[in-house]
């Protein structure tokens, strides 16, 4: 194509020279005639040698460097030369210096770059004529355009070409249709595995498409920020693998297949992994990722599990086997039973809960990841009501509210199948809400789970909250007095929500052991925080070894752990106890109900006092513990405090240990002025006197406060005496009627 354009340009140049010389009365020289004849012969030879189709070569407007565009014309030669990208009627032949500026400013300056190839603007008649105002196409004009390096289409605007290339990227079409140079024939694109990006996570390699971060335009969506979610799910599966083996586990939404491949690669023969997806592109990529990690692919097209010797086995000995199936998640969960099911769709998972609880085995585990944070975090209340059947508002504890709402939806889906749940783990972070539950078969367990779905009464003024019990009025339920001192309705009902515990301490301790065993350093601090939160304690001494693990009773089930694995009998193999033993376990659970972590938390910044400096968070936790309350930090909010104290008690302790801001400012100003005015010999004496006067004033104020409190309310507990002066000042400032 380039040679043809050069030949045409040479022919046009020769004709132009002949015309000029004919007008000037000069005959062409012998050298010019020889050059013209040589150019014509070369063009004719090229026309004979070239095939009729030129789709195997790129357009001359696509170059990698400016020198390549200038090489289309011999700028070092003498005489006038035509532009290779403009017709003669648009740009007449000119000398080399002017043509070089024309190529740089008009064609090269407005190029569109794609993978090192620069598409310059072209004015040649490659497109149809643009019709004139009268509609006559013959009298129209040619439009400047770009030639796409991928599909060779011509596009007029630069912005449209950029959008066009982005669509190619989103579809995964990044291989150029033309070769790197005009004289190299077109070659078939490289295999898809070599064109993808290779990413490694937890020792597992996966191939990613260039558009893996756009879920709306990519089937094989991959989110790097969900690494914490994948590791938490892996640890929960590793804990279940200690109880029974082998496990049949399902990754219902495979995408790239990284989660199922991590299960198979690290747990080996302890699990039988099935990865499904409805997209052909995803299924193909999952199989390629299996070959990349030396994992054998079993069956997939038929429902029953295939034999061990599959045709997808790669060279060498495979380290594990995975079944890959192209099937809808609801269909495969209706057809086959599983011990572990993980649901991670794009958005909400409520459409798949009924199918998940239909065939899950007894004492199995279902993990649900919801990424529709807009509806979960009260940004779209109408969507929340439509998907989860809950009414919520934006609160300071909105993340725990979202977790309890997802658990309530899971509990209702389980109850429809005559099954109950026990919540093992509930995590709500910035991008997702993860809920891991154990399935308990039987209508009795379903009834017990349904009883834990209650309405929540929330005060919109002070944000006090309490779960509503049947037979109580809304205003009489809240411990605060906002409904009596403020006009209008201050409390709203939220939910229904899950009012039970969100964590199981024994399960979390075994998850921590699994995280240490598989070198998951990223989630170990999070799991430790969850353990402290489940016990509602601030203890930091957590032992990872087997000595820290004991038998854990979960809803009447004795779960075998690492320590009891050698001494336990057949009764501790994960089966449900019956008879008197089961009754004793239930009684034990009821007696330990008071040890469950309190629901919700308070933000220390939300309830801070204006004009007061708050204590440090760890110090404040110590003060609450000394006051006799159970306290812990929470993963839902870095400034949150989970405690069994009421909001009034929480504020009283916070007020007691907060220091007025003006005290520090006054002391600083006094010390600065003293240093400037007093001699060096008496500075220490003045500072001592100032400190002594300040302490005397504080003691007098405390005595006056105690006297006033004793006169008004002599029976008030000593722990609440500090908050009464605030009440006295407020009531004293209100004039009597």
């Amino acid at each position: 194509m380039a040679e043809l354009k050069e030949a045409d340009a040479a022919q046009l140049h020769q004709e132009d020279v002949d015309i000029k010389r004919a007008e000037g009365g000069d005959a062409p020289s012998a050298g010019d005639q020889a050059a013209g004849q040589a150019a014509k012969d070369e063009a004719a030879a090229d026309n004979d040698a070239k095939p009729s189709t030129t789709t195997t070569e790129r357009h001359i407007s696509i170059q990698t460097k400016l020198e390549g565009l200038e090489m289309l014309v011999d700028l070092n030669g003498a005489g006038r030369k035509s532009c290779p990208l403009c017709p003669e009627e648009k740009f007449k032949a000119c000398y080399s210096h002017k043509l070089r500026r024309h190529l740089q400013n008009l064609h090269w300056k407005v190029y569109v770059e794609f993978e090192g190839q620069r598409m310059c603007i072209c004015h040649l008649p490659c497109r149809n004529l643009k019709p004139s105002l009268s509609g006559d196409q013959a009298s129209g004009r040619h439009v400047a355009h770009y030639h796409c390096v991928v599909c060779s289409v011509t596009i007029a605007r630069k912005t449209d070409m950029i959008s066009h290339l982005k669509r190619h990227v989103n579809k995964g079409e990044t291989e150029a249709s033309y070769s790197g140079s005009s004289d190299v024939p077109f070659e078939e694109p490289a295999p898809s595995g070599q064109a993808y990006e290779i990413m490694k996570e937890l020792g597992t390699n996966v191939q990613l498409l260039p558009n893996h971060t756009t879920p709306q335009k990519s089937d094989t969506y991959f989110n790097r920020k969900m690494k914490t979610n994948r590791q938490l799910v892996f640890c929960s599966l590793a804990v279940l693998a200690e109880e029974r083996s082998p496990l049949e586990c399902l990754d219902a939404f495979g995408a790239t297949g990284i989660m199922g491949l991590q299960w198979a690669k690290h747990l080996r023969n302890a699990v039988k992994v099935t990865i499904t997806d409805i997209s052909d592109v995803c299924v193909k990529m999952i199989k390629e990722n299996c070959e990349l990690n030396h994992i054998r692919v079993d069956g997939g097209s038929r429902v029953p599990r295939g034999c061990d010797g599959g045709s997808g086995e790669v060279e060498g000995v495979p380290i594990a086997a995975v079944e890959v199936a192209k099937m809808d998640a609801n269909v495969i969960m209706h057809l086959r039973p599983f011990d572990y099911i993980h649901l991670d769709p794009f958005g909400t998972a409520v459409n798949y809960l009924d199918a998940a609880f239909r065939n899950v085995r007894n004492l199995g585990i279902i993990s649900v990841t919801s990424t529709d944070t807009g509806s979960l975090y009260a940004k779209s209340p109408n969507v929340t009501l439509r998907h989860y059947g809950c009414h919520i508002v934006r609160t300071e504890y909105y993340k725990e509210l979202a977790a309890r709402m997802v658990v309530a939806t899971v509990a209702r889906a389980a109850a429809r199948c005559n099954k109950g749940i026990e919540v093992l783990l509930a995590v709500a972070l910035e991008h997702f809400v993860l809920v891991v539950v154990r399935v308990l078969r039987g209508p009795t367990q379903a009834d017990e789970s349904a009883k834990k779905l209650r309405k929540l009464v929330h005060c919109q003024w002070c944000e006090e909250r309490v779960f509503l019990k049947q037979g109580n009025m809304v205003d009489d339920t809240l411990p605060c007095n906002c409904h009596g001192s403020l006009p209008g309705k201050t409390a709203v009902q939220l939910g229904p929500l899950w009012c039970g515990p969100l964590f199981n301490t024994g399960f979390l301790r075994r998850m921590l052991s699994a995280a240490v065993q598989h070198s998951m350093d990223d989630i170990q601090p999070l799991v430790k925080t969850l353990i402290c939160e489940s016990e509602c304690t601030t203890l930091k001494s957590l032992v990872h070894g087997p000595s820290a693990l004991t038998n854990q009773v979960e809803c009447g089930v004795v779960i075998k752990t690492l320590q009891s694995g050698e001494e336990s009998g057949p009764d501790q193999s994960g089966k449900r106890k019956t008879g008197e033993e089961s009754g004793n376990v239930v009684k034990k659970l009821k007696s330990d109900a008071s040890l469950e972590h309190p629901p919700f938390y308070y933000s220390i910044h939300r309830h801070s006092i204006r004009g007061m400096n708050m204590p440090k968070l760890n110090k404040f936790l110590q003060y609450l513990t000394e006051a006799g309350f159970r306290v812990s930090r929470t993963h839902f909010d870095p400034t949150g405090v989970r405690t069994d104290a009421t909001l009034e008690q929480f504020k009283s302790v916070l007020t007691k240990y907060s220091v007025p801001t003006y005290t520090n400012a006054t002391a600083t100003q006094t010390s600065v002025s003293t240093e400037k005015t007093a001699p060096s010999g008496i500075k220490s004496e003045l500072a001592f006197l100032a400190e002594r006067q300040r302490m005397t004033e504080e003691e007098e104020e405390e005595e006056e406060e105690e006297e006033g409190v004793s006169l008004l309310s002599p029976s008030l507990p000593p722990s609440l005496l500090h908050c009464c002066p605030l009440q006295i000042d407020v009531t004293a400032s209100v004039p009597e009627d």
Side-chain angles (χ1 to χ4, degrees), residues 54 174 256 316 405 407 437 487 498 569 580 608-609 636 665 675 704:
T54 58
T174 58
T256 59
M405 182 171 56
V407 175
V437 299
W498 175 264
E580 297 179 356
S608 61
I609 305 170
F636 293 110
E675 291 178 358
E704 292 176 359

Side-chain angles (χ1 to χ4, degrees), residues 159-205:
T159 55
D160 295 342
M161 174 57 74
I162 295 174
S163 302
H164 176 76
L165 293 173
K166 288 182 179 179
R167 286 193 291 270
H168 279 305
V169 172
N170 293 334
K171 294 179 181 179
E173 301 170 353
T174 58
E175 291 291 335
S177 300
Y178 300 95
S179 57
S181 59
S182 60
D183 56 348
V184 178
F186 173 73
E187 297 179 356
E188 292 294 329
S192 58
Q194 300 178 6
Y196 299 153
E197 175 188 355
I198 304 297
M199 197 277 307
K200 186 174 183 180
E201 180 181 297
L202 198 62
T204 306
N205 299 319

Side-chain angles (χ1 to χ4, degrees), residues 52 141 227 235 386 435 483 515 543 612 641 684 729:
S52 59
R141 60 184 179 86
K227 180 180 179 181
C235 291
R386 186 168 66 247
V435 172
H483 65 279
V543 184
M612 305 284 283
V641 177
S684 59
D729 296 339

Side-chain angles (χ1 to χ4, degrees), residues 462-492:
C462 66
E463 297 213 21
E464 178 64 295
R465 77 296 305 233
V466 65
F467 280 107
L468 181 64
K469 297 181 181 180
Q470 296 181 357
N472 288 15
M473 299 297 294
V474 176
D475 293 338
D476 296 338
T477 302
L478 286 173
C480 65
N481 195 30
C482 297
H483 65 279
S485 58
L486 297 173
K489 182 179 179 181
T490 60
V492 293

Side-chain angles (χ1 to χ4, degrees), residues 233 236 250 259 263 340-344 349 353 365-369 434-437:
V233 172
S236 64
L250 172 67
M259 188 170 293
W263 299 349
Y340 189 97
I341 297 176
H342 176 62
L343 302 176
D344 186 11
L353 295 177
I365 290 179
I366 294 179
S367 59
V368 180
T369 300
L434 172 64
V435 172
V436 181
V437 299

